[in-house]
Amino acid sequence: MELSADYLREKLQRDLEAEHVEVEDTTPGRCATSFRVLVVSAKFEGKPLLHRHRLVNASLAEELPHIHAFEQKTLTPDQWAREQQK
């Protein structure tokens, strides 16, 4: 497995049936050990933040041990639409 922003984006999109995923490699030199993600999924509807993050962590359970820093933002489609209007 080779970690990359594209790999993580595709995996999150598939596993969480996400309508929008952004993944940024925040590692100096872009060596794929630190990432910031934004995931928009209907699977987050009615779930508290901690449960949403657990869903993301479960999706990336195999990859997370190889990642040194991981920042995530999880939104429902309605929350994402409101953010886009700002």
Side-chain angles (χ1 to χ4, degrees), residues 21-34:
V21 178
E22 294 176 15
V23 180
E24 179 186 357
D25 183 347
T26 57
T27 314
R30 304 290 185 245
C31 62
T33 59
S34 177

Side-chain angles (χ1 to χ4, degrees), residues 64-75:
L64 285 176
H66 307 283
I67 295 173
H68 297 289
F70 187 74
E71 178 185 336
Q72 59 180 293
K73 183 172 186 177
T74 52
L75 300 172

Side-chain angles (χ1 to χ4, degrees), residues 12-13 15-21 37-59 72-80:
L12 289 167
Q13 213 153 20
D15 292 355
L16 298 174
E17 299 169 14
E19 70 176 52
H20 182 79
V21 178
V37 301
L38 165 66
V39 183
V40 180
S41 173
K43 286 190 170 192
F44 299 148
E45 295 284 351
K47 293 185 174 52
L49 184 62
L50 183 59
H51 193 189
R52 295 176 185 194
H53 285 196
R54 286 180 177 155
L55 288 170
V56 171
N57 292 349
S59 171
Q72 59 180 293
K73 183 172 186 177
T74 52
L75 300 172
T76 65
D78 286 343
Q79 289 170 323
W80 175 243

